[in-house]
Every structure is written in C-alpha cells, then in structure tokens.
Amino acid sequence: MKLLVTGGAGFIGSAFVRQALTGGDVTALCNVDALTYAGNLENLASVLPDPRYRFERADIADAAAIENIFVSFAPDAVVHFAAESHVDRSILSPEPVIRTNLNGTFTLLEAARRHKTERFVHVSTDEVYGSIDEPHDADEGYPLKASSPYSASKAGSDLLALSYVTTYKMNVSVTRASNNYGPYQFPEKLIPLMIANALEGKSLPVYGDGMQIRDWLYVDDHCAAIDAVLRHGRAGEVYNIGGSRALPNIEVVKRILAATGRGEDLITYVKDRPGHDRRYAITSEKVEAETGWKPRVEFENGLARTVAWYRDNPQWIASVRSGAYRDFYEKNYSNR
Ligand code: NAD
Ligand code: DAU
C-alpha cells in the first residue's frame, strides 16, 4: 500500500509514520507537512534511512502543491492528520485554523476525488461533541456542539469529508479520538507542558478550578486504532477512539508532580480558558466491535513512560521551543 500521510511531522502523525513503517505492507509512505511551529522532522529521525519514506514540505491548503504530490506519488490511501491542533491558539488566532482545518481538508478531498484514491481516513476529535454532562457518554450519533474555533473547524471538516461519501461515493472514514499523550508532544498541551515545567521547577498553570475532565489515550494506541480503521473501517462511518481513562486535570497535574519529584506548591490556578468544555466522554464500542482494537497502555504506565521520555530529552524541549529543529531540516532534507 502506498500511503500519503499529512501532518506526519507533528505529535500523532509522527508516531503513526514510525508505526506504519514497522509493517511490511506499506510499500511507500509520503509525509506531507508544512512544518509549522508544531511540525518537527527530528520526530522522524528513525525513519529517515528507510527507502520507503519520502517527505514533501507543502501546505495542504495549497491546491497546486497538493495536486503535484498526488500526480507524482499516486497514493492508494490518505491518512489526514495535518491541522492546527491547539484550542488556546485557535481562540487567540482563528485564521490559520480555518485555513488549514477546513480549506486544507477540502483541498485534500478534492485531490483524492480527482485521482480516485481508494481510501481516505480523516483524523478528528471528540471535541466536536462539546462538553458532555454526566452520566452521558457520546457515541458516534451524538449531536455536534463545537465550542472553540478549533473544534468547530474539525466538526466542519468531518461533515465535509462525510459528504464526499454521499455525493462522490468516496471511501472515507472519520475517526474522533480523545486527548492523546506520549513522547514528542509539543509542550503547549496539558501533559507535556506540565511535565516540562515541573522538570524545570516552573509553576504549573491550571485553568479555572482544574476539575475539567478529559479521557486520556496513549498516542501509540491511537495510531493502532487509526491503522485498524484504515484497513477495516467502513465508508461513511465515524469511529470514536477513547482511552477509557477519564481524569480531572488537577489529578493529572498532581500525578505529574509526584512522578517528577516536585511539590504541589508549583500549582498555580490561572484564569480559565474562554468557552472551556467541562467534560469530554466518548464510547469506543463501535471501533472495538468492528476492528478488534482496544487501548493497551494503562495511564499509569503511559504517564511514567512519557515523563521518562521528557526527562531524557531536554534538548528536544529546548529545540521545539526555540524552533532550532529547523536546522535539522536544512541539514537532512534540503537536498532530498
Ligand atoms: P500537532 O499540532 O502536533 O501536529 C500538526 C502537524 O500538522 C504539524 O506537523 C504541522 O506542521 C502540520 N500542519 C499544520 N498545518 C499544516 C498545513 N497547512 N499544511 C501541512 N501541514 C500542516 O497535532 P497532533 O496533536 O499530532 O494532532 C494531529 C491530528 O489529530 C489533528 O488533526 C488533531 O485535530 C487530531 N487529534 C489530536 C488529538 C490530541 O490530543 N492531540 C486528539 C484527537 C485528535
Ligand atoms: O479531546 C481531544 C483534543 O484534546 C484534541 O482534539 C486537541 O487537538 C488537543 O489539543 C486536546 O484539546 P484540549 O483542549 O482538551 O487539550 P489541552 O492539552 O489544551 O488541555 C487539556 C485540559 O487541560 C483542558 O481542560 C485545558 C487544561 N489546561 C491546558 C493547558 C495547556 C490547563 O489547565 N492548563 C494549561 O496550561
């Protein structure tokens, strides 16, 4: 299978690329990524020597660039991760979110339609259901109620992707995952930010009362679920992918402090995020029943691995914070 992956230099996309290239049936993999602040090719250093791997620096909203890539690579399948993925940034500056998440998805769908690409997986989020009151959990039929420009752009792109099944009979599935964590996550999201700050002895900014609930999914479990949907998912179907581990933020923060040997005096309660969703909760029965997937990594184990990775890689944190990883791009990729 020739796989085109978008956003493969980001957190989840790079984990997916590393995982996909351990399998024998991926004959070629093209990673299309614009290398925004969130894209870092150091995340893919281990796959650089693999002759099946190819990188194209391109903006997914650039129709001409995307067309050229589809012509030269002719993928059998697309797995679409590329997005502006951070809620706080989307609140401060929605324009790039709309451009990438909506226009970029549209550009890719159009290219896949023209080239009759056999399979398209659109990677989305449980945030599209909005905040969910106890005791309910959202299944795939739950109404969409996006709260931020980020979640609204994802909900819009989900609907657009599904419309290509109804109208153009394309083989598209949508996945909606809960909060991911693991190595290589940009230190702006809750878990990596709190680990990085704790390791450096800085304060840990908790929004509001810290009682917001998120369901934590280890990134490799998410990637395994996407692979399962790519292979066994049905056209026009949405698949929720949850970690089955709901925790209030403050509990996560306290566990990070314990794991890094720091005291709770580092916790600082700060002004809440505007429109902050209180609770995310989804059911994953459909993906489990149709593909056999299940999350494997327990939160305690996954968090310990994640803390250990950040502790062992302070240069990665410094590099992504400063943008210095771009030197790696110039050195390794400018002639490829
Ligand atoms: P990320 O921010 O770490 O990475 C995004 C990647 O997309 C980066 O490599 C960036 O350079 C690239 N990109 C951004 N704009 C682009 C553009 N216009 N053209 C080409 N490339 C571009 O994101 P992530 O956390 O790895 O999320 C990946 C996907 O998974 C997103 O679609 C996100 O909505 C979804 N998702 C994320 C989570 C989570 O907890 N992080 C949970 C559920 C779903
Ligand atoms: O649910 C899936 C979504 O999870 C993905 O679609 C998004 O791409 C991903 O960013 C994530 O969104 P959240 O807004 O839930 O993640 P974030 O890490 O930004 O925040 C998690 C929770 O922690 C949320 O309730 C806000 C809170 N928080 C976050 C930060 C960065 C804090 O209290 N302090 C912080 O500094």
Side-chain angles (χ1 to χ4, degrees):
M1 178 170 37
K2 288 171 77 181
L3 213 52
L4 190 148
V5 174
T6 71
F11 164 50
I12 306 170
S14 67
F16 183 83
V17 170
R18 293 190 301 271
Q19 202 175 89
L21 287 172
T22 61
D25 71 335
V26 174
T27 52
L29 189 153
C30 178
N31 170 21
V32 179
D33 197 299
L35 299 183
T36 67
Y37 78 96
N40 178 3
L41 290 171
E42 279 180 54
N43 303 357
L44 293 164
S46 65
V47 303
L48 250 188
D50 192 320
R52 294 172 298 167
Y53 174 71
R54 149 177 173 187
F55 175 66
E56 295 283 350
R57 187 176 192 177
D59 178 347
I60 56 164
D62 178 343
I66 295 302
E67 173 62 15
N68 285 339
I69 292 167
F70 271 74
V71 168
S72 68
F73 185 66
D76 301 316
V78 174
V79 183
H80 172 36
F81 293 92
E84 287 292 337
S85 69
H86 192 39
V87 172
D88 293 327
R89 282 180 191 257
S90 87
I91 293 167
L92 288 170
S93 178
E95 197 276 335
V97 179
I98 301 308
R99 174 179 160 79
T100 291
N101 300 6
L102 282 168
N103 296 355
T105 302
F106 170 64
T107 302
L108 287 166
L109 287 165
E110 278 293 283
R113 177 164 82 92
R114 277 194 305 276
H115 289 269
K116 301 187 176 12
T117 309
E118 286 163 34
R119 186 83 177 109
F120 193 113
V121 176
H122 173 65
V123 177
S124 190
T125 168
D126 64 354
E127 292 208 21
V128 298
Y129 302 120
S131 198
I132 295 166
D133 291 335
E134 301 232 41
H136 306 290
D137 293 343
D139 64 11
E140 290 79 358
Y142 205 81
L144 303 184
K145 191 173 176 298
S147 303
S148 68
Y150 165 71
S151 50
S153 71
K154 294 300 289 191
S157 59
D158 289 11
L159 295 180
L160 191 62
L162 292 170
S163 79
Y164 275 61
V165 182
T166 313
T167 305
Y168 304 116
K169 310 297 172 214
M170 276 173 56
N171 186 1
V172 182
S173 301
V174 172
T175 60
R176 291 185 181 145
S178 63
N179 285 62
N180 281 221
Y181 70 103
Y184 300 101
Q185 187 170 26
F186 195 89
E188 64 183 353
K189 311 275 166 63
L190 181 76
I191 288 187
L193 176 72
M194 299 295 164
I195 295 174
N197 283 12
L199 290 172
E200 292 165 15
K202 292 185 188 156
S203 70
L204 276 53
V206 172
Y207 297 165
D209 63 2
M211 290 306 292
Q212 304 84 2
I213 291 178
R214 297 292 184 268
D215 169 20
W216 294 99
L217 172 67
Y218 194 69
V219 62
D220 293 345
D221 277 338
H222 184 190
C223 293
I226 290 168
D227 188 66
V229 169
L230 171 68
R231 290 158 198 280
H232 309 296
R234 290 178 294 134
E237 297 295 324
V238 175
Y239 295 91
N240 286 349
I241 305 169
S244 309
R245 195 52 187 276
L247 287 170
N249 293 337
I250 191 66
E251 177 66 27
V252 173
V253 168
K254 286 181 179 173
R255 286 176 191 224
I256 289 169
L257 286 169
T260 51
R262 298 287 185 179
E264 293 184 10
D265 54 314
L266 286 184
I267 295 173
T268 312
Y269 289 92
V270 299
K271 195 165 168 288
D272 209 351
R273 170 187 282 173
H276 198 168
D277 286 331
R278 196 74 182 159
R279 175 176 177 264
Y280 294 145
I282 52 173
T283 60
S284 310
E285 274 115 31
K286 182 174 171 181
V287 71
E288 293 184 11
E290 289 194 22
T291 73
W293 172 86
K294 262 191 181 312
R296 293 185 186 286
V297 180
E298 291 288 338
F299 185 72
E300 285 66 21
N301 180 4
L303 188 66
R305 280 196 225 174
T306 306
V307 169
W309 188 86
Y310 281 92
R311 194 195 302 273
D312 293 345
N313 290 281
Q315 79 296 343
W316 184 91
I317 302 176
S319 151
V320 295
R321 279 187 165 157
S322 69
Y325 59 85
R326 289 180 199 287
D327 298 345
F328 180 89
Y329 171 76
E330 297 303 336
K331 206 161 105 208
N332 291 283
Y333 283 87
S334 49
N335 296 322
R336 283 167 69 103

